[in-house]
Amino acid sequence: MEMMQQIENLKQALPKLGERDKAFAQSLLAALARWRSLSNKQMFWVNELIKRANNPKPEPAQVGDLAPILSLFEKAGAKLKHPAIVLSTPETGALRVTVAGQRSKYPGTLSITGLGTFDSRAWFGRVNKDGTFTAGRDAAGKEAPLTGLLRRFAAEPAKVAGEHGRVTGCCCFCNRALDDKRSVAVGYGPVCAENYGLTW
């Protein structure tokens, strides 16, 4: 009975879904019509699609011009294979910023993730080439501090990145512990400063 009620809820939610989610929802309904039942995994997605329909993602927020940030990455890219910048705030914790490569779905955009290994990183969203921030699945409830941090980062990349190092004692670029007072004062070490074209 509960399953059929959720199926009815999904049917009513169809007009509120984006094209991709709507197509997925219709495939689930087609599977139900064919097999007269859905698996637990399929029912998970029924519930997830209903949630998405009733709680749509917020519109992308403008964070600013990416040119200064991309300039840092361009300089680092001449020496490093996978340059990254670590930012942090009390509300969001540590965030890893990278530039999406040419093989990605959104090349040239900034990917905002958590730390850790690739398959376990939180996904906070992306900053698009036009300077808008599109929140990801793990940004719920943190959109405002994330947007504020990214706006400050776009305005003063090196200064805002350095805040992570000054607060945590770990380099804002390689995230290794800083063992020199001068490095802690700026938020990064001399090797990373050279890699990213910054004074130290």
Side-chain angles (χ1 to χ4, degrees):
M1 189 70 177
E2 183 181 343
M3 181 182 83
M4 296 314 295
Q5 179 59 54
Q6 285 300 82
I7 294 300
E8 189 57 38
N9 291 341
L10 181 61
K11 289 177 181 177
Q12 293 176 8
L14 282 175
K16 301 178 190 176
L17 291 170
E19 290 306 310
R20 191 172 174 186
D21 283 343
K22 186 183 290 185
F24 184 30
Q26 289 169 334
S27 74
L28 291 170
L29 294 172
L32 176 64
R34 182 175 181 186
W35 303 108
R36 302 195 184 283
S37 183
L38 294 177
S39 69
N40 288 339
K41 188 173 182 180
Q42 288 170 317
M43 281 306 299
F44 166 84
W45 283 108
V46 167
N47 294 325
E48 181 65 24
L49 290 167
I50 293 168
K51 285 179 192 173
R52 290 183 187 181
N54 294 325
N55 300 289
K57 288 183 179 179
E59 290 296 313
Q62 184 67 40
V63 299
D65 182 11
L66 298 190
I69 298 171
L70 293 176
S71 176
L72 281 178
F73 279 107
E74 186 177 347
K75 289 170 187 169
K79 298 183 178 183
L80 304 173
K81 190 172 182 181
H82 300 292
I85 298 174
V86 181
L87 308 175
S88 59
T89 68
E91 298 89 352
T92 63
L95 308 171
R96 185 173 184 267
V97 182
T98 56
V99 177
Q102 290 305 310
R103 293 184 179 181
S104 75
K105 190 174 180 180
Y106 303 100
T109 61
L110 299 181
S111 298
I112 316 299
T113 68
L115 303 184
T117 58
F118 177 77
D119 57 347
S120 67
R121 287 180 194 144
W123 172 246
F124 293 109
R126 79 175 43 83
V127 182
N128 305 296
K129 290 181 178 179
D130 64 359
T132 56
F133 171 57
T134 302
R137 65 177 180 266
D138 297 307
K142 299 177 181 177
E143 293 90 348
L146 279 167
T147 302
L149 174 62
L150 293 169
R151 281 182 180 144
R152 292 193 303 111
F153 183 47
E156 298 182 283
K159 178 183 175 184
V160 174
E163 290 174 2
H164 172 76
R166 291 190 290 276
V167 171
T168 66
C170 294
C171 177
C172 62
F173 298 117
C174 66
N175 208 35
R176 293 177 182 160
L178 298 169
D179 56 8
D180 181 286
K181 288 183 179 179
R182 291 170 296 176
S183 298
V184 174
V186 293
Y188 45 83
V191 174
C192 285
E194 183 179 347
N195 288 340
Y196 285 82
L198 300 171
T199 56
W200 181 83

